[in-house]
Amino acid sequence: MLAKPMLRPSDWPLRSAASWQSALVMVMLAAGFLSIAASQLALGLSLLLMLYRWFVQKERPPFTGLERTAAALALWALAMVPLSTNVAQSALYYRRFYLFTAIWTCAAAATTERRRGLMLAFFLGGALVTCLHDQVYQLFTHGSLFGDRMDVTFNSMTSGALLMLAALVALGFLLAPGVGRRLRLVMVLVLVPLLVGVAMTMTRSAELGLLAGAGVMLLVVRPRLFGIFAGVLLIAALVVLFYGKHFLPPLVNERLSPAHLLGGENTVLRREMWGGGWEMVKAHPWTGVGDRGLEELSRQYYTSTTDRYWGHLHSNIVHMAAIWGVPGLVFGQAFLLAGFWYLLKRWRLLRRHAGHPLAAGWTLGALGMWMGFFVAGLTEWYFGDAEPMLIYLAVLGIALGGGHHAATGASSHTAA
C-alpha cells in the first residue's frame, strides 16, 4: 500500500485556517468581558491567521467601508508622535491602533449565519458571566444589589460601558425582523441581568447611552413605537424627579438627583477637565499635546478644586482634540461617523434581502451600540478604554463583515 503524501501548508484546505480564525474570534468576544489580556492575545492570534489567509491563501478580508477613515486617523496619530510633548509615551500609546484590527478579523470570520450565531453565543455568554459574577459578589458583599456601585471585574465606568454594549446588541436581536421566537425569548432572558447590571454600575453615561441606542433602533425598525418610547421616558424622568426618593435605593436616587447631576463632584471634575482640555487645544491647535497620560500636564492648564488630576479628560471629543489637535479631532469623528453611515447602508441592504435574521440582528444591534457608544463617549474617554473599545470595534466588524455577501446570505468563504 502506498503511503499517503504529506500535506504541505499550501495544500491545507481554506476551511481549516478560517475555522481556527473564527474560533479565536469567539474566544476574543467572550474574553473581552473578562480579561483584556486574554482578549488581546486571542485578537493577535486571529490576526495572524487572517494575514495567513490573505497572503498565502489569497483570501482578502472583507471591505467594511471603514478602511479610509481608520487609516487617516492612524496616519495622523503616527505623524503626531514626534511632535508630542512626550514622544516616548506617545510611541507606546500608539499601540491603541492594534485594537482596530478587530474590525477586520471579525469581519473575515462573520461570513455565515452559523458563525454569526456562534459569535452571538460567545459574545453574550462572556457578558453574562461577568455580569452575574459581579451581581452575586455585590449581593453577598453589600447585602443588596444597589448598596454600592458595581465595581468588581472592572471599574464602574468600564463595566457600565461593556454591559451597555452587550445589552444593546441583545436588544437588536429582540427587535430585528425575522428572528425566531426562541431566540427572542433567549434575548429577553439575557437582557434582564444585563439591564440590571447597567443600573448597578450607576454609570450615567452608560445609562444614557443605553436609552439613546434603544431609541435609535426603535426609530429604524419600529418608528411608530419611538414616540411611545420617548413619552414613557419623559414620564419616567418626571416620576424619578419628584418621587424617586420614595422607591429608589438611596445611592441611586442621589446620583440621579438634579443637584448631583448639575453640581456633584463628578460633574464639577468633568467641567474642570473639559475646560483644561480646551486650553490644551488653544495652546496646541494643530498637533495637540500628544497621545500621552495627562495627569502631570493637566496642572499647567487647569486647577482642580479637589487637587485630583486624571490621565484623561472624560470625553472622546475633548480628549481627541487635546492629544491630536483639531485635525485629529476631525479624523477621529470621521472614523466614528463612518461606522454609523455604513451600518445604516448595510441595514437598508439587509431589509431588501429578508431571510438572514442573524445578519440583521447583528446590524441592528450594532446601530444601537454605535449610538450608545457615541452618546456615552460625550462624557467619557471610552475611545481610549481598551475593554469597551475592543468590543465596540469587534461588533462593527461582525455587522459589516462579508461585504455584500453578508446581506444576501451568500459568502465568498467556505462555511465552517
Side-chain angles (χ1 to χ4, degrees), residues 23-275:
L24 286 166
V25 164
M26 293 172 202
V27 171
M28 181 194 72
L29 290 171
F33 294 95
L34 303 166
S35 165
I36 190 61
S39 59
Q40 289 198 28
L41 176 60
L43 171 62
L45 294 174
S46 64
L47 175 61
L48 289 175
L49 279 172
M50 186 190 76
L51 294 174
Y52 170 79
R53 293 173 63 193
W54 186 357
F55 293 107
V56 176
Q57 298 182 325
K58 309 304 179 185
E59 180 74 17
R60 291 190 60 182
F63 177 78
T64 65
L66 303 178
E67 287 76 9
R68 293 183 182 88
T69 53
L73 176 59
L75 288 173
W76 178 262
L78 182 61
M80 293 302 101
V81 169
L83 302 177
S84 170
T85 55
N86 188 328
V87 175
Q89 199 170 70
S90 290
L92 179 64
Y93 278 24
Y94 193 76
R95 63 188 178 185
R96 73 169 73 253
F97 289 98
Y98 165 62
L99 299 181
F100 279 49
T101 62
I103 297 172
W104 296 280
T105 57
C106 289
T111 54
T112 67
E113 285 286 271
R114 179 173 180 269
R115 287 182 182 171
R116 286 187 281 269
L118 288 171
M119 288 178 181
L120 179 64
F122 276 79
F123 177 83
L124 293 179
L128 280 176
V129 167
T130 298
C131 184
L132 293 172
H133 168 268
D134 289 10
Q135 286 170 338
V136 171
Y137 182 91
Q138 186 88 346
L139 187 60
F140 278 92
T141 303
H142 300 286
S144 168
L145 292 177
F146 295 94
D148 196 3
R149 296 183 70 184
M150 190 163 74
D151 188 354
V152 184
T153 304
F154 302 107
N155 64 60
S156 298
M157 289 178 290
T158 297
S159 293
L162 287 170
L163 297 181
M164 172 196 71
L165 298 177
L168 287 170
V169 170
L171 185 59
F173 278 87
L174 183 63
L175 296 175
V179 173
R181 291 183 179 179
R182 290 183 181 179
L183 185 54
R184 290 186 197 276
L185 177 60
V186 171
M187 291 303 103
V188 170
L189 297 176
V190 166
L191 272 168
V192 172
L194 291 180
L195 294 176
V196 172
V198 174
M200 289 173 63
T201 66
M202 302 183 202
T203 301
R204 290 164 297 186
S205 58
E207 292 166 350
L208 188 59
L210 180 65
L211 295 176
V216 79
M217 283 190 282
L218 284 173
L219 199 57
V220 167
V221 75
R222 301 278 196 276
R224 293 183 180 180
L225 293 179
F226 178 77
I228 298 174
F229 175 75
V232 169
L233 280 185
L234 178 60
I235 294 171
L238 292 174
V239 170
V240 169
L241 177 62
F242 292 105
Y243 302 102
K245 62 182 179 181
H246 298 297
F247 62 88
L248 289 176
L251 186 56
V252 175
N253 181 64
E254 177 188 345
R255 291 185 60 80
L256 295 179
S257 68
H260 191 78
L261 290 171
L262 298 176
E265 180 181 336
N266 289 342
T267 302
V268 172
L269 286 172
R270 278 169 172 76
R271 288 175 179 170
E272 292 172 349
M273 290 177 190
W274 299 340

